[in-house]
């Protein structure tokens, strides 16, 4: 799979995720071009952990036409089980670049999902935490995430729909709305 930004790797990345349950998938330095969202499973027996090197750059294609985020954590194989190994998964490191047109990362389901030490650039919405599997509770942990929006009037750094999330040590710039909290039980530190 080329990591030079010259070819769309969406299908190849989705196949890698689908064929490697309970694995850490590492992205070495390079540019990974996406033309459509990639989805990770929420079910603990199928979940994956995405680890990006500091200079791994996942970039939306200039002709991005999707309303969903580029990386959708827990968007398939729904589950609400924190007792099984594999229930804690997420995204760590790298650069997620919305190319000025895409939403970057969403947490669509599951519980105990994390996003850490990630730089989100040029995004319409940096991070969207949707309603989680536990009666709307997402239980997401967001730490050390830097978000730079696209500067548009409708740009948002973080949207929180789910409950019981913790956001720590974040920087948000070049957005119209920094954090839009639509639910309770969240902690912003």
């Amino acid at each position: 799979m080329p990591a030079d930004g010259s070819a769309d790797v969406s299908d190849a990345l989705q196949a890698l995720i689908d064929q490697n349950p309970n694995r850490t998938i590492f992205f070495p330095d390079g540019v990974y071009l996406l033309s459509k969202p990639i989805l990770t499973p929420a079910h603990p027996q199928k979940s994956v952990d995405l680890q990006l090197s500091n200079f791994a750059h996942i970039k939306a294609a200039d002709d991005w036409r999707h309303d969903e985020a580029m990386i959708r954590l827990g968007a398939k194989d729904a589950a609400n089980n924190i007792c099984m190994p594999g229930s804690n998964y997420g995204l760590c490191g790298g650069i997620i670049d919305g190319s000025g047109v895409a939403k970057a990362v969403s947490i669509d389901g599951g519980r105990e999902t994390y996003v850490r030490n990630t730089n989100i650039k040029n995004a319409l919405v940096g991070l969207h935490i949707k309603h989680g599997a536990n009666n709307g509770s997402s239980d997401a942990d967001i730490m050390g995430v830097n978000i730079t929006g696209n500067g548009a009037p409708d740009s948002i750094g973080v949207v929180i729909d789910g409950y019981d999330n913790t956001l720590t040590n974040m920087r948000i710039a070049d957005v119209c709305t920094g954090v839009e909290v639509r639910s309770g039980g969240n902690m912003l530190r």
Side-chain angles (χ1 to χ4, degrees):
M1 158 175 36
D4 59 7
S6 65
D8 175 25
V9 296
S10 304
D11 290 334
L13 287 179
Q14 191 63 60
L16 187 65
I17 290 166
D18 294 343
Q19 295 167 10
N20 290 284
N22 292 137
R23 297 286 185 257
T24 297
I25 298 176
F26 180 74
F27 293 73
D29 295 350
V31 179
Y32 301 85
L33 189 65
L34 298 183
S35 67
K36 59 186 171 186
I38 57 172
L39 289 63
T40 69
H43 196 285
Q45 292 177 325
K46 299 178 181 180
S47 66
V48 297
D49 202 48
L50 303 179
Q51 298 282 327
L52 285 67
S53 72
N54 282 341
F55 299 101
H57 186 168
I58 298 179
K59 183 174 174 36
D62 291 334
D63 61 349
W64 184 269
R65 299 284 180 256
H66 303 277
D67 192 42
E68 295 291 341
M70 297 165 54
I71 299 174
R72 298 179 58 204
L73 301 171
K76 55 189 290 192
D77 301 315
N80 179 17
N81 185 332
I82 59 171
C83 298
M84 293 176 66
S87 67
N88 189 289
Y89 59 87
L91 168 69
C92 183
I95 302 160
I96 312 301
D97 185 345
S99 298
V101 295
K103 297 173 184 173
V105 178
S106 64
I107 298 174
D108 288 29
R111 293 177 61 193
E112 299 185 326
T113 309
Y114 72 85
V115 179
R116 292 188 207 127
N117 305 325
T118 300
N119 289 295
I120 296 173
K121 307 286 185 195
N122 307 311
L124 181 60
V125 174
L127 176 64
H128 187 177
I129 304 171
K130 298 180 181 180
H131 289 286
N134 184 26
N135 295 319
S137 177
S138 309
D139 300 315
D141 291 308
I142 314 303
M143 186 171 91
V145 175
N146 297 314
I147 298 172
T148 304
N150 65 359
D154 56 348
S155 61
I156 304 173
V158 179
V159 176
I160 304 174
D161 287 320
Y163 302 92
D164 304 325
N165 304 290
T166 303
L167 286 69
T168 307
N169 195 28
M170 296 182 66
R171 290 173 183 82
I172 301 172
D174 205 19
V175 295
C176 186
T177 303
V179 179
E180 186 174 319
V181 181
R182 301 174 181 167
S183 61
N186 298 294
M187 182 182 306
L188 287 73
R189 310 189 266 200

